[in-house]
mmCIF file with all atom_site columns, all heavy atoms in Angstrom:
data_model
loop_
_atom_site.group_PDB
_atom_site.id
_atom_site.type_symbol
_atom_site.label_atom_id
_atom_site.label_alt_id
_atom_site.label_comp_id
_atom_site.label_asym_id
_atom_site.label_entity_id
_atom_site.label_seq_id
_atom_site.pdbx_PDB_ins_code
_atom_site.Cartn_x
_atom_site.Cartn_y
_atom_site.Cartn_z
_atom_site.occupancy
_atom_site.B_iso_or_equiv
_atom_site.pdbx_formal_charge
_atom_site.auth_seq_id
_atom_site.auth_comp_id
_atom_site.auth_asym_id
_atom_site.auth_atom_id
_atom_site.pdbx_PDB_model_num
ATOM 1   N N   . PHE A 1 1  ? -7.858  -11.344 9.058  1.00 89.00 ? 10 PHE A N   1
ATOM 2   C CA  . PHE A 1 1  ? -8.849  -11.008 8.040  1.00 89.00 ? 10 PHE A CA  1
ATOM 3   C C   . PHE A 1 1  ? -8.353  -11.526 6.701  1.00 89.00 ? 10 PHE A C   1
ATOM 4   O O   . PHE A 1 1  ? -7.166  -11.827 6.524  1.00 89.00 ? 10 PHE A O   1
ATOM 5   C CB  . PHE A 1 1  ? -9.126  -9.495  7.976  1.00 89.00 ? 10 PHE A CB  1
ATOM 6   C CG  . PHE A 1 1  ? -7.973  -8.647  7.512  1.00 89.00 ? 10 PHE A CG  1
ATOM 7   C CD1 . PHE A 1 1  ? -8.002  -8.049  6.254  1.00 89.00 ? 10 PHE A CD1 1
ATOM 8   C CD2 . PHE A 1 1  ? -6.881  -8.412  8.328  1.00 89.00 ? 10 PHE A CD2 1
ATOM 9   C CE1 . PHE A 1 1  ? -6.958  -7.246  5.830  1.00 89.00 ? 10 PHE A CE1 1
ATOM 10  C CE2 . PHE A 1 1  ? -5.831  -7.618  7.909  1.00 89.00 ? 10 PHE A CE2 1
ATOM 11  C CZ  . PHE A 1 1  ? -5.872  -7.033  6.656  1.00 89.00 ? 10 PHE A CZ  1
ATOM 12  N N   . THR A 1 2  ? -9.271  -11.628 5.742  1.00 91.00 ? 11 THR A N   1
ATOM 13  C CA  . THR A 1 2  ? -8.898  -12.105 4.420  1.00 91.00 ? 11 THR A CA  1
ATOM 14  C C   . THR A 1 2  ? -8.736  -10.928 3.483  1.00 91.00 ? 11 THR A C   1
ATOM 15  O O   . THR A 1 2  ? -9.531  -9.981  3.488  1.00 91.00 ? 11 THR A O   1
ATOM 16  C CB  . THR A 1 2  ? -9.951  -13.085 3.879  1.00 91.00 ? 11 THR A CB  1
ATOM 17  O OG1 . THR A 1 2  ? -9.585  -13.470 2.549  1.00 91.00 ? 11 THR A OG1 1
ATOM 18  C CG2 . THR A 1 2  ? -11.344 -12.466 3.849  1.00 91.00 ? 11 THR A CG2 1
ATOM 19  N N   . LEU A 1 3  ? -7.677  -10.987 2.675  1.00 90.00 ? 12 LEU A N   1
ATOM 20  C CA  . LEU A 1 3  ? -7.390  -9.881  1.766  1.00 90.00 ? 12 LEU A CA  1
ATOM 21  C C   . LEU A 1 3  ? -8.272  -9.864  0.526  1.00 90.00 ? 12 LEU A C   1
ATOM 22  O O   . LEU A 1 3  ? -8.194  -8.930  -0.260 1.00 90.00 ? 12 LEU A O   1
ATOM 23  C CB  . LEU A 1 3  ? -5.922  -9.938  1.341  1.00 90.00 ? 12 LEU A CB  1
ATOM 24  C CG  . LEU A 1 3  ? -4.877  -9.531  2.390  1.00 90.00 ? 12 LEU A CG  1
ATOM 25  C CD1 . LEU A 1 3  ? -3.492  -9.615  1.795  1.00 90.00 ? 12 LEU A CD1 1
ATOM 26  C CD2 . LEU A 1 3  ? -5.161  -8.137  2.917  1.00 90.00 ? 12 LEU A CD2 1
ATOM 27  N N   . ASP A 1 4  ? -9.101  -10.907 0.354  1.00 89.00 ? 13 ASP A N   1
ATOM 28  C CA  . ASP A 1 4  ? -9.927  -11.006 -0.855 1.00 89.00 ? 13 ASP A CA  1
ATOM 29  C C   . ASP A 1 4  ? -10.765 -9.753  -1.093 1.00 89.00 ? 13 ASP A C   1
ATOM 30  O O   . ASP A 1 4  ? -11.045 -9.412  -2.241 1.00 89.00 ? 13 ASP A O   1
ATOM 31  C CB  . ASP A 1 4  ? -10.897 -12.189 -0.734 1.00 89.00 ? 13 ASP A CB  1
ATOM 32  C CG  . ASP A 1 4  ? -10.205 -13.523 -0.709 1.00 89.00 ? 13 ASP A CG  1
ATOM 33  O OD1 . ASP A 1 4  ? -9.113  -13.597 -0.127 1.00 89.00 ? 13 ASP A OD1 1
ATOM 34  O OD2 . ASP A 1 4  ? -10.747 -14.481 -1.279 1.00 89.00 ? 13 ASP A OD2 1
ATOM 35  N N   . TYR A 1 5  ? -11.164 -9.079  0.000  1.00 91.00 ? 14 TYR A N   1
ATOM 36  C CA  . TYR A 1 5  ? -12.085 -7.955  -0.124 1.00 91.00 ? 14 TYR A CA  1
ATOM 37  C C   . TYR A 1 5  ? -11.402 -6.612  0.038  1.00 91.00 ? 14 TYR A C   1
ATOM 38  O O   . TYR A 1 5  ? -12.054 -5.600  0.284  1.00 91.00 ? 14 TYR A O   1
ATOM 39  C CB  . TYR A 1 5  ? -13.205 -8.102  0.906  1.00 91.00 ? 14 TYR A CB  1
ATOM 40  C CG  . TYR A 1 5  ? -13.883 -9.444  0.817  1.00 91.00 ? 14 TYR A CG  1
ATOM 41  C CD1 . TYR A 1 5  ? -13.674 -10.416 1.788  1.00 91.00 ? 14 TYR A CD1 1
ATOM 42  C CD2 . TYR A 1 5  ? -14.715 -9.753  -0.252 1.00 91.00 ? 14 TYR A CD2 1
ATOM 43  C CE1 . TYR A 1 5  ? -14.278 -11.656 1.689  1.00 91.00 ? 14 TYR A CE1 1
ATOM 44  C CE2 . TYR A 1 5  ? -15.319 -10.987 -0.354 1.00 91.00 ? 14 TYR A CE2 1
ATOM 45  C CZ  . TYR A 1 5  ? -15.097 -11.937 0.623  1.00 91.00 ? 14 TYR A CZ  1
ATOM 46  O OH  . TYR A 1 5  ? -15.695 -13.162 0.518  1.00 91.00 ? 14 TYR A OH  1
ATOM 47  N N   . TYR A 1 6  ? -10.062 -6.614  -0.132 1.00 94.00 ? 15 TYR A N   1
ATOM 48  C CA  . TYR A 1 6  ? -9.307  -5.405  0.118  1.00 94.00 ? 15 TYR A CA  1
ATOM 49  C C   . TYR A 1 6  ? -8.420  -5.029  -1.060 1.00 94.00 ? 15 TYR A C   1
ATOM 50  O O   . TYR A 1 6  ? -7.734  -5.883  -1.633 1.00 94.00 ? 15 TYR A O   1
ATOM 51  C CB  . TYR A 1 6  ? -8.411  -5.579  1.346  1.00 94.00 ? 15 TYR A CB  1
ATOM 52  C CG  . TYR A 1 6  ? -9.178  -5.620  2.644  1.00 94.00 ? 15 TYR A CG  1
ATOM 53  C CD1 . TYR A 1 6  ? -9.825  -6.770  3.058  1.00 94.00 ? 15 TYR A CD1 1
ATOM 54  C CD2 . TYR A 1 6  ? -9.260  -4.481  3.447  1.00 94.00 ? 15 TYR A CD2 1
ATOM 55  C CE1 . TYR A 1 6  ? -10.545 -6.806  4.235  1.00 94.00 ? 15 TYR A CE1 1
ATOM 56  C CE2 . TYR A 1 6  ? -9.964  -4.506  4.639  1.00 94.00 ? 15 TYR A CE2 1
ATOM 57  C CZ  . TYR A 1 6  ? -10.597 -5.664  5.021  1.00 94.00 ? 15 TYR A CZ  1
ATOM 58  O OH  . TYR A 1 6  ? -11.306 -5.687  6.193  1.00 94.00 ? 15 TYR A OH  1
ATOM 59  N N   . ALA A 1 7  ? -8.453  -3.745  -1.388 1.00 95.00 ? 16 ALA A N   1
ATOM 60  C CA  . ALA A 1 7  ? -7.417  -3.207  -2.265 1.00 95.00 ? 16 ALA A CA  1
ATOM 61  C C   . ALA A 1 7  ? -6.155  -3.031  -1.424 1.00 95.00 ? 16 ALA A C   1
ATOM 62  O O   . ALA A 1 7  ? -6.228  -2.703  -0.235 1.00 95.00 ? 16 ALA A O   1
ATOM 63  C CB  . ALA A 1 7  ? -7.854  -1.863  -2.843 1.00 95.00 ? 16 ALA A CB  1
ATOM 64  N N   . ILE A 1 8  ? -5.004  -3.247  -2.043 1.00 96.00 ? 17 ILE A N   1
ATOM 65  C CA  . ILE A 1 8  ? -3.739  -3.173  -1.330 1.00 96.00 ? 17 ILE A CA  1
ATOM 66  C C   . ILE A 1 8  ? -2.819  -2.167  -1.993 1.00 96.00 ? 17 ILE A C   1
ATOM 67  O O   . ILE A 1 8  ? -2.714  -2.109  -3.229 1.00 96.00 ? 17 ILE A O   1
ATOM 68  C CB  . ILE A 1 8  ? -3.031  -4.544  -1.316 1.00 96.00 ? 17 ILE A CB  1
ATOM 69  C CG1 . ILE A 1 8  ? -3.946  -5.614  -0.718 1.00 96.00 ? 17 ILE A CG1 1
ATOM 70  C CG2 . ILE A 1 8  ? -1.714  -4.456  -0.548 1.00 96.00 ? 17 ILE A CG2 1
ATOM 71  C CD1 . ILE A 1 8  ? -4.324  -5.375  0.726  1.00 96.00 ? 17 ILE A CD1 1
ATOM 72  N N   . GLY A 1 9  ? -2.168  -1.391  -1.165 1.00 97.00 ? 18 GLY A N   1
ATOM 73  C CA  . GLY A 1 9  ? -1.188  -0.436  -1.658 1.00 97.00 ? 18 GLY A CA  1
ATOM 74  C C   . GLY A 1 9  ? 0.165   -0.646  -1.011 1.00 97.00 ? 18 GLY A C   1
ATOM 75  O O   . GLY A 1 9  ? 0.252   -1.114  0.127  1.00 97.00 ? 18 GLY A O   1
ATOM 76  N N   . TRP A 1 10 ? 1.189   -0.323  -1.752 1.00 98.00 ? 19 TRP A N   1
ATOM 77  C CA  . TRP A 1 10 ? 2.552   -0.278  -1.215 1.00 98.00 ? 19 TRP A CA  1
ATOM 78  C C   . TRP A 1 10 ? 3.019   1.176   -1.208 1.00 98.00 ? 19 TRP A C   1
ATOM 79  O O   . TRP A 1 10 ? 2.832   1.890   -2.209 1.00 98.00 ? 19 TRP A O   1
ATOM 80  C CB  . TRP A 1 10 ? 3.519   -1.099  -2.074 1.00 98.00 ? 19 TRP A CB  1
ATOM 81  C CG  . TRP A 1 10 ? 3.465   -2.569  -1.838 1.00 98.00 ? 19 TRP A CG  1
ATOM 82  C CD1 . TRP A 1 10 ? 2.801   -3.500  -2.591 1.00 98.00 ? 19 TRP A CD1 1
ATOM 83  C CD2 . TRP A 1 10 ? 4.112   -3.293  -0.789 1.00 98.00 ? 19 TRP A CD2 1
ATOM 84  N NE1 . TRP A 1 10 ? 2.997   -4.753  -2.072 1.00 98.00 ? 19 TRP A NE1 1
ATOM 85  C CE2 . TRP A 1 10 ? 3.796   -4.661  -0.963 1.00 98.00 ? 19 TRP A CE2 1
ATOM 86  C CE3 . TRP A 1 10 ? 4.928   -2.936  0.284  1.00 98.00 ? 19 TRP A CE3 1
ATOM 87  C CZ2 . TRP A 1 10 ? 4.270   -5.650  -0.102 1.00 98.00 ? 19 TRP A CZ2 1
ATOM 88  C CZ3 . TRP A 1 10 ? 5.391   -3.922  1.127  1.00 98.00 ? 19 TRP A CZ3 1
ATOM 89  C CH2 . TRP A 1 10 ? 5.061   -5.257  0.934  1.00 98.00 ? 19 TRP A CH2 1
ATOM 90  N N   . PHE A 1 11 ? 3.618   1.572   -0.113 1.00 98.00 ? 20 PHE A N   1
ATOM 91  C CA  . PHE A 1 11 ? 4.123   2.921   0.057  1.00 98.00 ? 20 PHE A CA  1
ATOM 92  C C   . PHE A 1 11 ? 5.566   2.836   0.519  1.00 98.00 ? 20 PHE A C   1
ATOM 93  O O   . PHE A 1 11 ? 6.027   1.789   0.990  1.00 98.00 ? 20 PHE A O   1
ATOM 94  C CB  . PHE A 1 11 ? 3.286   3.673   1.110  1.00 98.00 ? 20 PHE A CB  1
ATOM 95  C CG  . PHE A 1 11 ? 1.885   3.940   0.663  1.00 98.00 ? 20 PHE A CG  1
ATOM 96  C CD1 . PHE A 1 11 ? 0.925   2.941   0.692  1.00 98.00 ? 20 PHE A CD1 1
ATOM 97  C CD2 . PHE A 1 11 ? 1.521   5.189   0.198  1.00 98.00 ? 20 PHE A CD2 1
ATOM 98  C CE1 . PHE A 1 11 ? -0.379  3.175   0.251  1.00 98.00 ? 20 PHE A CE1 1
ATOM 99  C CE2 . PHE A 1 11 ? 0.234   5.442   -0.228 1.00 98.00 ? 20 PHE A CE2 1
ATOM 100 C CZ  . PHE A 1 11 ? -0.712  4.431   -0.196 1.00 98.00 ? 20 PHE A CZ  1
ATOM 101 N N   . ARG A 1 12 ? 6.258   3.943   0.407  1.00 98.00 ? 21 ARG A N   1
ATOM 102 C CA  . ARG A 1 12 ? 7.605   4.000   0.955  1.00 98.00 ? 21 ARG A CA  1
ATOM 103 C C   . ARG A 1 12 ? 7.873   5.381   1.509  1.00 98.00 ? 21 ARG A C   1
ATOM 104 O O   . ARG A 1 12 ? 7.268   6.376   1.082  1.00 98.00 ? 21 ARG A O   1
ATOM 105 C CB  . ARG A 1 12 ? 8.651   3.627   -0.102 1.00 98.00 ? 21 ARG A CB  1
ATOM 106 C CG  . ARG A 1 12 ? 8.774   4.614   -1.257 1.00 98.00 ? 21 ARG A CG  1
ATOM 107 C CD  . ARG A 1 12 ? 9.725   4.057   -2.321 1.00 98.00 ? 21 ARG A CD  1
ATOM 108 N NE  . ARG A 1 12 ? 9.888   4.978   -3.432 1.00 98.00 ? 21 ARG A NE  1
ATOM 109 C CZ  . ARG A 1 12 ? 10.571  4.677   -4.532 1.00 98.00 ? 21 ARG A CZ  1
ATOM 110 N NH1 . ARG A 1 12 ? 11.152  3.474   -4.671 1.00 98.00 ? 21 ARG A NH1 1
ATOM 111 N NH2 . ARG A 1 12 ? 10.690  5.560   -5.506 1.00 98.00 ? 21 ARG A NH2 1
ATOM 112 N N   . GLN A 1 13 ? 8.775   5.394   2.478  1.00 98.00 ? 22 GLN A N   1
ATOM 113 C CA  . GLN A 1 13 ? 9.158   6.670   3.075  1.00 98.00 ? 22 GLN A CA  1
ATOM 114 C C   . GLN A 1 13 ? 10.643  6.658   3.373  1.00 98.00 ? 22 GLN A C   1
ATOM 115 O O   . GLN A 1 13 ? 11.127  5.813   4.136  1.00 98.00 ? 22 GLN A O   1
ATOM 116 C CB  . GLN A 1 13 ? 8.366   6.947   4.348  1.00 98.00 ? 22 GLN A CB  1
ATOM 117 C CG  . GLN A 1 13 ? 8.558   8.346   4.883  1.00 98.00 ? 22 GLN A CG  1
ATOM 118 C CD  . GLN A 1 13 ? 7.510   8.732   5.895  1.00 98.00 ? 22 GLN A CD  1
ATOM 119 O OE1 . GLN A 1 13 ? 6.868   7.882   6.511  1.00 98.00 ? 22 GLN A OE1 1
ATOM 120 N NE2 . GLN A 1 13 ? 7.324   10.039  6.076  1.00 98.00 ? 22 GLN A NE2 1
ATOM 121 N N   . ALA A 1 14 ? 11.341  7.578   2.750  1.00 96.00 ? 23 ALA A N   1
ATOM 122 C CA  . ALA A 1 14 ? 12.771  7.747   2.985  1.00 96.00 ? 23 ALA A CA  1
ATOM 123 C C   . ALA A 1 14 ? 12.958  8.820   4.052  1.00 96.00 ? 23 ALA A C   1
ATOM 124 O O   . ALA A 1 14 ? 12.076  9.675   4.239  1.00 96.00 ? 23 ALA A O   1
ATOM 125 C CB  . ALA A 1 14 ? 13.464  8.146   1.696  1.00 96.00 ? 23 ALA A CB  1
ATOM 126 N N   . PRO A 1 15 ? 14.096  8.807   4.749  1.00 91.00 ? 24 PRO A N   1
ATOM 127 C CA  . PRO A 1 15 ? 14.328  9.815   5.789  1.00 91.00 ? 24 PRO A CA  1
ATOM 128 C C   . PRO A 1 15 ? 14.198  11.230  5.231  1.00 91.00 ? 24 PRO A C   1
ATOM 129 O O   . PRO A 1 15 ? 14.761  11.559  4.179  1.00 91.00 ? 24 PRO A O   1
ATOM 130 C CB  . PRO A 1 15 ? 15.767  9.526   6.235  1.00 91.00 ? 24 PRO A CB  1
ATOM 131 C CG  . PRO A 1 15 ? 15.974  8.093   5.919  1.00 91.00 ? 24 PRO A CG  1
ATOM 132 C CD  . PRO A 1 15 ? 15.189  7.830   4.669  1.00 91.00 ? 24 PRO A CD  1
ATOM 133 N N   . GLY A 1 16 ? 13.429  12.039  5.923  1.00 94.00 ? 25 GLY A N   1
ATOM 134 C CA  . GLY A 1 16 ? 13.265  13.425  5.525  1.00 94.00 ? 25 GLY A CA  1
ATOM 135 C C   . GLY A 1 16 ? 12.340  13.664  4.354  1.00 94.00 ? 25 GLY A C   1
ATOM 136 O O   . GLY A 1 16 ? 12.200  14.801  3.887  1.00 94.00 ? 25 GLY A O   1
ATOM 137 N N   . LYS A 1 17 ? 11.683  12.596  3.876  1.00 95.00 ? 26 LYS A N   1
ATOM 138 C CA  . LYS A 1 17 ? 10.787  12.733  2.727  1.00 95.00 ? 26 LYS A CA  1
ATOM 139 C C   . LYS A 1 17 ? 9.378   12.302  3.101  1.00 95.00 ? 26 LYS A C   1
ATOM 140 O O   . LYS A 1 17 ? 9.169   11.578  4.066  1.00 95.00 ? 26 LYS A O   1
ATOM 141 C CB  . LYS A 1 17 ? 11.299  11.893  1.554  1.00 95.00 ? 26 LYS A CB  1
ATOM 142 C CG  . LYS A 1 17 ? 12.618  12.380  0.977  1.00 95.00 ? 26 LYS A CG  1
ATOM 143 C CD  . LYS A 1 17 ? 12.941  11.645  -0.305 1.00 95.00 ? 26 LYS A CD  1
ATOM 144 C CE  . LYS A 1 17 ? 14.204  12.184  -0.949 1.00 95.00 ? 26 LYS A CE  1
ATOM 145 N NZ  . LYS A 1 17 ? 14.526  11.491  -2.218 1.00 95.00 ? 26 LYS A NZ  1
ATOM 146 N N   . GLU A 1 18 ? 8.424   12.749  2.311  1.00 95.00 ? 27 GLU A N   1
ATOM 147 C CA  . GLU A 1 18 ? 7.034   12.356  2.526  1.00 95.00 ? 27 GLU A CA  1
ATOM 148 C C   . GLU A 1 18 ? 6.814   10.917  2.073  1.00 95.00 ? 27 GLU A C   1
ATOM 149 O O   . GLU A 1 18 ? 7.535   10.388  1.231  1.00 95.00 ? 27 GLU A O   1
ATOM 150 C CB  . GLU A 1 18 ? 6.109   13.291  1.749  1.00 95.00 ? 27 GLU A CB  1
ATOM 151 C CG  . GLU A 1 18 ? 6.092   14.711  2.269  1.00 95.00 ? 27 GLU A CG  1
ATOM 152 C CD  . GLU A 1 18 ? 5.025   15.549  1.599  1.00 95.00 ? 27 GLU A CD  1
ATOM 153 O OE1 . GLU A 1 18 ? 4.335   15.053  0.689  1.00 95.00 ? 27 GLU A OE1 1
ATOM 154 O OE2 . GLU A 1 18 ? 4.888   16.725  1.992  1.00 95.00 ? 27 GLU A OE2 1
ATOM 155 N N   . ARG A 1 19 ? 5.773   10.308  2.661  1.00 96.00 ? 28 ARG A N   1
ATOM 156 C CA  . ARG A 1 19 ? 5.412   8.962   2.244  1.00 96.00 ? 28 ARG A CA  1
ATOM 157 C C   . ARG A 1 19 ? 4.905   8.996   0.804  1.00 96.00 ? 28 ARG A C   1
ATOM 158 O O   . ARG A 1 19 ? 4.087   9.857   0.453  1.00 96.00 ? 28 ARG A O   1
ATOM 159 C CB  . ARG A 1 19 ? 4.340   8.401   3.176  1.00 96.00 ? 28 ARG A CB  1
ATOM 160 C CG  . ARG A 1 19 ? 4.111   6.920   3.028  1.00 96.00 ? 28 ARG A CG  1
ATOM 161 C CD  . ARG A 1 19 ? 3.229   6.387   4.153  1.00 96.00 ? 28 ARG A CD  1
ATOM 162 N NE  . ARG A 1 19 ? 3.869   6.550   5.456  1.00 96.00 ? 28 ARG A NE  1
ATOM 163 C CZ  . ARG A 1 19 ? 3.424   5.971   6.561  1.00 96.00 ? 28 ARG A CZ  1
ATOM 164 N NH1 . ARG A 1 19 ? 2.348   5.191   6.522  1.00 96.00 ? 28 ARG A NH1 1
ATOM 165 N NH2 . ARG A 1 19 ? 4.032   6.162   7.713  1.00 96.00 ? 28 ARG A NH2 1
ATOM 166 N N   . GLU A 1 20 ? 5.375   8.066   0.014  1.00 96.00 ? 29 GLU A N   1
ATOM 167 C CA  . GLU A 1 20 ? 5.080   8.048   -1.417 1.00 96.00 ? 29 GLU A CA  1
ATOM 168 C C   . GLU A 1 20 ? 4.317   6.784   -1.786 1.00 96.00 ? 29 GLU A C   1
ATOM 169 O O   . GLU A 1 20 ? 4.700   5.682   -1.384 1.00 96.00 ? 29 GLU A O   1
ATOM 170 C CB  . GLU A 1 20 ? 6.388   8.092   -2.219 1.00 96.00 ? 29 GLU A CB  1
ATOM 171 C CG  . GLU A 1 20 ? 6.217   7.931   -3.721 1.00 96.00 ? 29 GLU A CG  1
ATOM 172 C CD  . GLU A 1 20 ? 7.542   7.737   -4.455 1.00 96.00 ? 29 GLU A CD  1
ATOM 173 O OE1 . GLU A 1 20 ? 8.566   7.481   -3.793 1.00 96.00 ? 29 GLU A OE1 1
ATOM 174 O OE2 . GLU A 1 20 ? 7.545   7.822   -5.695 1.00 96.00 ? 29 GLU A OE2 1
ATOM 175 N N   . GLY A 1 21 ? 3.241   6.928   -2.523 1.00 97.00 ? 30 GLY A N   1
ATOM 176 C CA  . GLY A 1 21 ? 2.508   5.776   -3.035 1.00 97.00 ? 30 GLY A CA  1
ATOM 177 C C   . GLY A 1 21 ? 3.296   5.150   -4.171 1.00 97.00 ? 30 GLY A C   1
ATOM 178 O O   . GLY A 1 21 ? 3.564   5.810   -5.168 1.00 97.00 ? 30 GLY A O   1
ATOM 179 N N   . VAL A 1 22 ? 3.672   3.892   -4.024 1.00 98.00 ? 31 VAL A N   1
ATOM 180 C CA  . VAL A 1 22 ? 4.516   3.208   -5.000 1.00 98.00 ? 31 VAL A CA  1
ATOM 181 C C   . VAL A 1 22 ? 3.673   2.406   -5.989 1.00 98.00 ? 31 VAL A C   1
ATOM 182 O O   . VAL A 1 22 ? 3.864   2.489   -7.203 1.00 98.00 ? 31 VAL A O   1
ATOM 183 C CB  . VAL A 1 22 ? 5.501   2.273   -4.279 1.00 98.00 ? 31 VAL A CB  1
ATOM 184 C CG1 . VAL A 1 22 ? 6.274   1.417   -5.271 1.00 98.00 ? 31 VAL A CG1 1
ATOM 185 C CG2 . VAL A 1 22 ? 6.451   3.077   -3.401 1.00 98.00 ? 31 VAL A CG2 1
ATOM 186 N N   . SER A 1 23 ? 2.737   1.625   -5.438 1.00 98.00 ? 32 SER A N   1
ATOM 187 C CA  . SER A 1 23 ? 1.957   0.736   -6.296 1.00 98.00 ? 32 SER A CA  1
ATOM 188 C C   . SER A 1 23 ? 0.712   0.309   -5.544 1.00 98.00 ? 32 SER A C   1
ATOM 189 O O   . SER A 1 23 ? 0.698   0.298   -4.317 1.00 98.00 ? 32 SER A O   1
ATOM 190 C CB  . SER A 1 23 ? 2.785   -0.500  -6.681 1.00 98.00 ? 32 SER A CB  1
ATOM 191 O OG  . SER A 1 23 ? 2.065   -1.354  -7.540 1.00 98.00 ? 32 SER A OG  1
ATOM 192 N N   . CYS A 1 24 ? -0.344  -0.033  -6.289 1.00 97.00 ? 33 CYS A N   1
ATOM 193 C CA  . CYS A 1 24 ? -1.530  -0.587  -5.649 1.00 97.00 ? 33 CYS A CA  1
ATOM 194 C C   . CYS A 1 24 ? -2.255  -1.523  -6.609 1.00 97.00 ? 33 CYS A C   1
ATOM 195 O O   . CYS A 1 24 ? -2.023  -1.482  -7.820 1.00 97.00 ? 33 CYS A O   1
ATOM 196 C CB  . CYS A 1 24 ? -2.460  0.480   -5.101 1.00 97.00 ? 33 CYS A CB  1
ATOM 197 S SG  . CYS A 1 24 ? -2.536  2.011   -6.001 1.00 97.00 ? 33 CYS A SG  1
ATOM 198 N N   . ILE A 1 25 ? -3.093  -2.369  -6.024 1.00 96.00 ? 34 ILE A N   1
ATOM 199 C CA  . ILE A 1 25 ? -3.720  -3.438  -6.797 1.00 96.00 ? 34 ILE A CA  1
ATOM 200 C C   . ILE A 1 25 ? -5.155  -3.615  -6.332 1.00 96.00 ? 34 ILE A C   1
ATOM 201 O O   . ILE A 1 25 ? -5.460  -3.518  -5.141 1.00 96.00 ? 34 ILE A O   1
ATOM 202 C CB  . ILE A 1 25 ? -2.900  -4.739  -6.661 1.00 96.00 ? 34 ILE A CB  1
ATOM 203 C CG1 . ILE A 1 25 ? -3.389  -5.818  -7.633 1.00 96.00 ? 34 ILE A CG1 1
ATOM 204 C CG2 . ILE A 1 25 ? -2.903  -5.253  -5.217 1.00 96.00 ? 34 ILE A CG2 1
ATOM 205 C CD1 . ILE A 1 25 ? -2.419  -6.994  -7.756 1.00 96.00 ? 34 ILE A CD1 1
ATOM 206 N N   . SER A 1 26 ? -6.032  -3.877  -7.294 1.00 94.00 ? 35 SER A N   1
ATOM 207 C CA  . SER A 1 26 ? -7.445  -4.048  -6.989 1.00 94.00 ? 35 SER A CA  1
ATOM 208 C C   . SER A 1 26 ? -7.714  -5.434  -6.396 1.00 94.00 ? 35 SER A C   1
ATOM 209 O O   . SER A 1 26 ? -6.845  -6.301  -6.372 1.00 94.00 ? 35 SER A O   1
ATOM 210 C CB  . SER A 1 26 ? -8.277  -3.845  -8.257 1.00 94.00 ? 35 SER A CB  1
ATOM 211 O OG  . SER A 1 26 ? -7.927  -4.824  -9.231 1.00 94.00 ? 35 SER A OG  1
ATOM 212 N N   . LEU A 1 27 ? -8.963  -5.645  -5.961 1.00 91.00 ? 36 LEU A N   1
ATOM 213 C CA  . LEU A 1 27 ? -9.339  -6.882  -5.283 1.00 91.00 ? 36 LEU A CA  1
ATOM 214 C C   . LEU A 1 27 ? -9.054  -8.119  -6.150 1.00 91.00 ? 36 LEU A C   1
ATOM 215 O O   . LEU A 1 27 ? -8.550  -9.130  -5.656 1.00 91.00 ? 36 LEU A O   1
ATOM 216 C CB  . LEU A 1 27 ? -10.823 -6.859  -4.924 1.00 91.00 ? 36 LEU A CB  1
ATOM 217 C CG  . LEU A 1 27 ? -11.242 -6.090  -3.686 1.00 91.00 ? 36 LEU A CG  1
ATOM 218 C CD1 . LEU A 1 27 ? -11.017 -4.600  -3.830 1.00 91.00 ? 36 LEU A CD1 1
ATOM 219 C CD2 . LEU A 1 27 ? -12.699 -6.373  -3.363 1.00 91.00 ? 36 LEU A CD2 1
#
């Protein structure tokens, strides 16, 4: 698929911790 029509997010998860939203970007 092409990313042109998608917002993208980066997340991270350390051991024993909840997934954290790090950064995101619009189309």
Side-chain angles (χ1 to χ4, degrees):
F10 66 108
T11 177
L12 287 181
D13 294 36
Y14 307 107
Y15 289 79
I17 304 297
W19 281 99
F20 292 78
R21 66 187 181 186
Q22 189 164 22
K26 294 189 176 181
E27 292 188 357
R28 193 169 297 192
E29 174 190 13
V31 173
S32 182
C33 33
I34 189 167
S35 62
L36 280 66

